[in-house]
Amino acid sequence: MCTSTAMNEEEPPSKRRRMTILMLPDDVVLNCLARVSRLYYPTLSLVSKKFRSLLSSKEVYQTRTLLGRTESCLYVFLRHASPSNSNPQRWFTLSRRPNSSKRILVPISSPNFPSARWSKVAAVGPNIYSIGGLEHNMSSKASSNVMAMDCRSHTWCEAPSMHVAREFHSVCVFDGKIYVTGANENLDSTNWMGVFDTNTRTWEYLQIPGKELCRASQLESVWYEGTLYVRSEKKNVTYKLHKGRWRKVDYAMNYGWGRSSSYCVIENVFYHNFGTTIYWFDSQKRSWQILKGLESLCKSLCNKSAKYLVDYGGKIAVLWQDYVSVKFPRETSIWCAEIAIEKRENGEIWGMLERVDIVFTTDKPSSLVHALATTV
């Protein structure tokens, strides 16, 4: 007589029950998924409805935090120029192509997507904030609205509005707070700068001395060297907040920043792009230095437009667009380069190009509008 063990051993492999990850309890599956890089999440979400639900849940991100598996995730906002396009603007996130090491920009579905034009965006933790801009209506009035996208579920919701409408303003982030500067000529020293605390979800306003800054326009702002820097393109001047007062910065800082097409601050080092070259500001010598080691990247950037520098988890992500043909429709490619930063003992900073990918291609003329990274 055959024993049950012997019968099982003789049973054809096709009839044996196979254990899959979908048969495991949800908490075990969550623990497994939380250990996988978020670059793979768009592909994994195609496996089943269960995976799709778990990957968009707050529980998987809470588990990632507990396991110390949070990472920087790159988001890009593209606008298609074709008037016939039914979806002229959309958010994308950087992901890995299935069965490949190459990366691509994957469009995300984001309910309640804000419709304001020329809004400014800022990333704090797992959220992207869209602030102000012009409302999409016949009047094209400046907007005071603030919307927030939870990058874990890719859903938008309303955040507390600003007390004043703003257009052509600037934003920067420090310590969980979003600093919003400038807007239009109707502001005064009491409301020219608004500060949104993302933890308490409240607004406060920092009064600025004098009226010179209130009249400044075409603003850019950044948090650097422990304080806020604001530059007016129109006035060709940069101010920094020092001991409660605004002071003009030295010529070198203002000149280099004014020539930049894009900039970012990583570990208190200011980087900017001009032409085909990336520079960093030497705060000891008070001068701009070339980020060495990127000769091959400089050739790729030649004659390319819309370059963006992004703090991508301590590395520099460089994004730019390239038109493949001069005929219409103009096929557009979006490129992404990843640069590791090496600080050397002699005080120099070098860049090490780790990879360059074409991450998006479309047969419609498109443009990069925003590029930033969140931590999830």
Side-chain angles (χ1 to χ4, degrees), residues 49-65:
K49 290 183 178 180
K50 180 178 181 179
F51 265 33
R52 189 157 53 250
S53 175
L54 290 175
L55 290 170
S56 62
S57 68
K58 291 186 177 181
E59 286 76 15
V60 72
Y61 292 99
Q62 291 171 351
T63 305
R64 287 172 65 87
T65 301

Side-chain angles (χ1 to χ4, degrees), residues 77-89:
F77 183 69
L78 298 180
R79 178 178 292 119
H80 300 304
S82 175
S84 61
N85 195 317
S86 60
N87 193 8
Q89 50 189 16

Side-chain angles (χ1 to χ4, degrees), residues 175-187:
D175 195 25
K177 295 181 179 181
I178 303 174
Y179 292 77
V180 185
T181 55
N184 48 52
E185 296 178 355
N186 297 325
L187 301 184

Side-chain angles (χ1 to χ4, degrees), residues 114-329:
S115 60
R117 293 172 295 164
W118 310 117
S119 62
K120 293 300 177 71
V121 297
V124 182
N127 298 313
I128 290 176
Y129 294 84
S130 175
I131 302 170
L134 294 176
E135 297 178 352
H136 267 303
N137 52 42
M138 295 299 292
S139 62
S140 294
K141 292 182 179 179
S143 173
S144 61
N145 293 339
V146 180
M147 299 286 289
M149 180 174 69
D150 188 332
C151 294
R152 297 164 294 192
S153 59
H154 292 152
T155 55
W156 289 88
C157 64
E158 291 187 14
S161 299
M162 298 179 288
H163 297 173
V164 294
R166 297 180 189 267
E167 58 176 317
F168 310 121
H169 48 298
S170 69
V171 300
C172 68
V173 174
F174 176 71
D175 195 25
K177 295 181 179 181
I178 303 174
Y179 292 77
V180 185
T181 55
N184 48 52
E185 296 178 355
N186 297 325
L187 301 184
D188 57 34
S189 61
T190 64
N191 59 14
W192 184 81
M193 176 182 293
V195 184
F196 181 62
D197 189 322
T198 59
N199 293 316
T200 62
R201 293 174 61 83
T202 57
W203 283 93
E204 64 174 331
Y205 292 84
L206 299 181
Q207 185 166 349
I208 64 171
K211 297 182 179 180
E212 186 175 1
L213 267 177
C214 293
R215 294 191 295 266
S217 59
Q218 301 178 30
L219 301 174
E220 298 288 345
S221 59
V222 67
W223 194 276
Y224 172 59
E225 293 184 321
T227 190
L228 183 65
Y229 283 70
V230 178
R231 186 178 193 280
S232 169
E233 178 68 23
K234 187 173 183 179
K235 289 181 174 291
N236 191 25
V237 64
T238 299
Y239 292 85
K240 73 173 181 179
L241 190 60
H242 179 69
K243 295 182 179 180
R245 297 189 62 85
W246 291 97
R247 303 180 184 275
K248 291 184 180 180
V249 304
D250 53 60
Y251 171 80
M253 164 61 79
N254 179 66
Y255 177 71
W257 190 0
R259 299 168 72 218
S260 69
S261 59
S262 181
Y263 59 90
C264 66
V265 174
I266 302 176
E267 295 182 355
N268 205 36
V269 178
F270 197 144
Y271 299 89
H272 86 78
N273 168 256
F274 176 69
T276 63
T277 306
I278 299 175
Y279 297 84
W280 61 278
F281 190 68
D282 189 327
S283 58
Q284 299 296 322
K285 298 179 180 179
R286 307 304 298 176
S287 63
W288 293 94
Q289 309 292 329
I290 293 177
L291 187 62
K292 299 179 180 179
L294 301 176
E295 291 75 13
S296 60
L297 178 62
C298 291
K299 294 179 181 179
S300 300
L301 293 175
C302 184
N303 299 323
K304 303 302 185 296
S305 61
K307 306 177 188 74
Y308 283 83
L309 303 187
V310 180
D311 177 0
Y312 187 34
K315 299 179 181 180
I316 300 177
V318 186
L319 292 106
W320 68 94
Q321 63 190 43
D322 185 21
Y323 295 114
V324 178
S325 65
V326 294
K327 297 180 180 180
F328 286 94

